[in-house]
């Protein structure tokens, strides 16, 4: 199969590696020659590391490399069966590229976008045959993260959806099909991990280290929310939150936090700037958490129940199936358990009473319990 990738940055080069490893003939296109050169050098390094780790041999490395060619005109992608676009997150630029691309490729070529925040419907509208357009959303780093969200727009044909799911499954990825709504699954459902942690900090309940310690020790998360925000970058993470908040017509559940805004404004971006919620300079010592199990349990429960509420509401609004929502969080962001399975384990009655307790305490709409949880509780149902 011939696959054209548009944009050879972080995501495009990773997606190219995935497709080439699966045996596809890949053409990686970028307007910037330096970006193409960088992608080629980066792939060489990655494959050498995989050889050192014993994951692949020299023959496999040569095979993967020979499956990728680096091209500098869009027309070179004309023989593609599938194209995946991973350029700058700008609707007008994407639309221009899509419309030009459509004039070169065959009628049955699937034209996909890796966008994180734009609607697939708006991108598809740039095509003469919008039914061939779909969202195929990889996670960073694409070769390592198992999850790919596949997002049909309202214009997408069933055939294009089925074919896309098949291709991505053949690439050995876990597919979660999501409705074309802000944040799709992961970037929507994960918001309380950051937002509720920031709120707990802002209320003075605990410091960054103690909140992180609680989520890791009691919850089994690999990274605490503040460590993760520092890893992602406070500028990037804040922008995603603000975009989702705006896209949901300012639903207070997604409201960004001033704390994070100030950190971003101050240039305390996290690891990449050497300072965020933590200090990453060479001799810095990490502050110790207050290892109070009762406090930690309270913090963990509050973040968890807000995550569960978000996952339940995504199911309630038919954003994805229960299984896809759980796969999305375990395979896209490495959560220790699927949130809906976690809800079953904790008990739906527990979820409802925790959420109602928060709502009664604050009388804020962000703590409203999903109607689905309430209905399930009445009917004594579980998610699985
Ligand atoms: N970085 C992430 O974690 C992540 C995760 C999932 C999805 N995405 C989405 O993937 C897309 C790309 O993100 P990225 O982080 O790889 O960006 P990036 O900045 O690393 O790479 C973008 C590349 O596109 C090239 N480019 C820009 N305009 C172009 C054009 N008109 N034609 C061809 N090439 C062009 C640039 O030269 C650059 O090499 C965005 O839509 C983003 O929302 C990013």
């Amino acid at each position: 199969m011939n696959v054209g990738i548009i944009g050879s940055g972080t995501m495009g080069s990773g997606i190219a590696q995935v497709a080439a490893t699966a045996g596809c003939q890949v053409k990686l296109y970028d307007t910037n020659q330096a970006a193409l050169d960088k992608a080629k050098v980066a792939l060489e390094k990655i494959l050498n590391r995989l050889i050192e780790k014993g994951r692949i041999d020299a023959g496999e490395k040569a095979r993967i490399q020979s499956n990728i060619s680096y091209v500098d005109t869009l027309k070179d992608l004309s023989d593609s069966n599938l194209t995946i676009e991973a350029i700058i997150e700008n609707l007008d630029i994407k639309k221009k590229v899509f419309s030009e691309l459509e004039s070169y490729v065959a009628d049955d070529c699937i034209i996909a976008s890796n966008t994180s925040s734009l609607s697939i419907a708006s991108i598809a509208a740039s095509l003469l045959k919008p039914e061939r357009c779909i969202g195929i959303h990889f996670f960073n780093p694409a070769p390592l993260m198992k999850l790919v969200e596949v997002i049909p727009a309202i214009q997408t044909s069933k055939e294009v959806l089925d074919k896309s799911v098949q291709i991505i499954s053949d690439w050995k990825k876990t597919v979660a099909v999501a409705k074309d709504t802000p944040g799709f699954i992961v970037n929507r459902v994960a918001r309380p991990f950051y937002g509720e942690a920031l709120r707990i900090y802002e209320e003075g309940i605990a410091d960054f280290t103690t909140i992180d310690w609680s989520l890791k020790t009691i919850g089994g998360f690999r990274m605490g929310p503040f460590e993760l925000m520092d890893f992602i970058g406070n500028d990037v993470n804040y922008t995603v939150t603000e975009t989702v908040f705006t896209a949901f017509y300012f639903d207070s559940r997604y409201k960004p936090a001033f704390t994070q805004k100030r950190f971003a404004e101050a240039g305390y971006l996290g690891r990449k700037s050497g300072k965020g919620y933590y200090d990453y300079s060479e001799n810095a010592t990490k502050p110790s958490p207050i290892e109070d199990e009762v406090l930690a349990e309270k913090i963990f429960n509050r973040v968890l129940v807000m995550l569960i509420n978000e996952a339940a509401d995504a199911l309630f609004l038919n954003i994805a199936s229960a299984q896809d929502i759980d796969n999305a969080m375990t395979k896209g962001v490495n959560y220790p358990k699927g949130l809906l399975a976690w809800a079953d384990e904790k008990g739906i009655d527990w979820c409802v009473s925790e959420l109602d307790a928060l709502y009664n305490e604050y009388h804020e709409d962000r703590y409203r319990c999903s109607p689905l949880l309430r209905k399930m509780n009445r009917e004594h149902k579980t998610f699985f």
Side-chain angles (χ1 to χ4, degrees):
M1 194 174 89
N2 295 333
V3 177
I5 311 275
I6 305 158
S8 67
T10 310
M11 296 308 295
S13 56
I15 298 166
Q17 185 191 331
V18 172
T21 304
C24 298
Q25 297 302 310
V26 179
K27 284 183 185 158
L28 184 54
Y29 160 72
D30 204 292
T31 42
N32 180 351
Q33 187 57 47
L36 285 171
D37 295 341
K38 198 175 151 200
K40 199 170 182 175
V41 172
L43 179 67
E44 167 87 19
K45 263 197 203 156
I46 290 166
L47 296 177
N48 284 342
R49 223 178 302 139
L50 289 178
I51 292 179
E52 276 166 30
K53 287 187 186 165
R55 303 255 180 86
I56 60 169
D57 58 21
E60 176 72 353
K61 175 187 165 190
R63 187 185 69 85
I64 295 169
Q65 282 179 315
S66 70
N67 281 350
I68 306 182
S69 50
Y70 298 80
V71 301
D72 59 6
T73 67
L74 196 54
K75 211 172 179 178
D76 286 320
L77 306 188
S78 59
D79 62 353
S80 304
N81 307 106
L82 163 70
T83 62
I84 303 179
E85 164 277 315
I87 65 168
I88 183 172
E89 191 75 333
N90 175 304
L91 181 60
D92 290 335
I93 299 176
K94 286 196 199 276
K95 280 184 144 185
K96 232 176 111 214
V97 170
F98 271 50
S99 148
E100 185 187 341
L101 176 71
E102 192 177 29
S103 69
Y104 304 133
V105 295
D107 274 358
D108 60 353
C109 171
I110 297 174
I111 300 185
S113 175
N114 185 53
T115 182
S116 295
S117 64
L118 301 168
S119 89
I120 309 304
S122 65
I123 298 173
S126 64
L127 298 178
L128 297 172
K129 284 167 70 67
E131 63 274 17
R132 60 158 88 198
C133 186
I134 193 158
I136 298 187
H137 185 223
F138 286 78
F139 289 78
N140 189 16
L144 294 184
M145 301 307 288
K146 284 295 282 178
L147 182 78
V148 177
E149 294 176 333
V150 172
I151 309 110
I154 46 174
Q155 301 101 313
T156 310
S157 72
K158 172 87 170 55
E159 191 195 346
V160 166
L161 169 61
D162 292 346
K163 259 197 197 166
S164 304
V165 168
Q166 187 59 54
I167 294 166
I168 301 303
S169 306
D170 290 346
W171 292 2
K172 301 204 168 59
K173 294 290 182 188
T174 302
V175 172
V177 177
K179 210 174 192 172
D180 186 14
T181 46
F184 310 133
I185 306 173
V186 170
N187 283 333
R188 171 198 193 123
V189 175
R191 301 269 51 87
F193 191 65
Y194 317 107
E196 206 52 30
L198 282 155
R199 171 69 187 251
I200 289 167
Y201 165 76
E202 287 181 348
E203 283 186 35
I205 293 170
D207 56 25
F208 306 138
T209 326
T210 302
I211 297 170
D212 279 350
W213 183 80
S214 307
L215 270 299
K216 287 189 293 181
T217 312
I218 313 275
F221 287 89
R222 285 196 200 168
M223 284 174 126
F226 294 97
E227 288 168 338
L228 189 53
M229 286 185 274
D230 270 358
F231 182 76
I232 296 167
N234 277 305
D235 50 344
V236 173
N237 190 258
Y238 178 79
T239 304
V240 175
T241 307
E242 200 181 35
T243 307
V244 171
F245 178 54
T246 309
F248 275 108
Y249 306 111
F250 308 105
D251 184 334
S252 61
R253 221 163 49 198
Y254 308 105
K255 195 158 89 183
F258 282 121
T259 297
Q260 190 172 33
K261 187 159 200 271
R262 294 292 176 264
F263 270 68
E265 287 168 346
Y268 295 168
L269 307 182
R271 278 171 191 265
K272 64 185 172 189
S273 69
K275 184 175 166 49
Y277 301 113
Y278 297 102
D279 185 349
Y280 297 93
S281 54
E282 218 165 279
N283 299 318
T285 49
K286 214 172 169 183
S288 307
I290 299 164
E291 297 192 9
D292 172 342
E293 296 264 340
V294 177
L295 175 66
E297 187 89 33
K298 216 174 127 194
I299 292 168
F300 161 65
N301 282 342
R302 180 163 162 181
V303 174
L304 177 67
V305 84
M306 289 295 277
L307 285 167
I308 288 173
N309 198 36
E310 202 53 53
D313 223 47
L315 181 64
F316 176 59
L317 297 171
N318 292 303
I319 305 307
S321 68
Q323 193 56 63
D324 281 1
I325 291 172
D326 270 16
N327 282 346
M329 305 318 285
T330 52
K331 306 214 153 104
V333 271
N334 289 328
Y335 280 15
K337 280 179 213 165
L339 292 167
L340 300 176
W342 222 334
D344 284 347
E345 197 182 295
K346 290 289 232 177
I348 306 298
D349 53 345
W350 177 85
C351 300
V352 172
S353 72
E354 288 287 309
L355 285 159
D356 283 350
L358 284 166
Y359 188 83
N360 289 337
E361 174 85 15
Y362 297 107
H363 284 273
E364 285 176 54
D365 202 34
R366 71 191 257 129
Y367 297 110
R368 68 186 187 271
C369 176
S370 169
L372 179 61
L373 285 172
R374 222 178 265 297
K375 183 165 183 277
M376 287 173 64
N377 191 34
R378 272 198 312 272
E379 296 172 357
H380 305 288
K381 286 206 169 127
T382 53
F383 286 106
F384 297 104

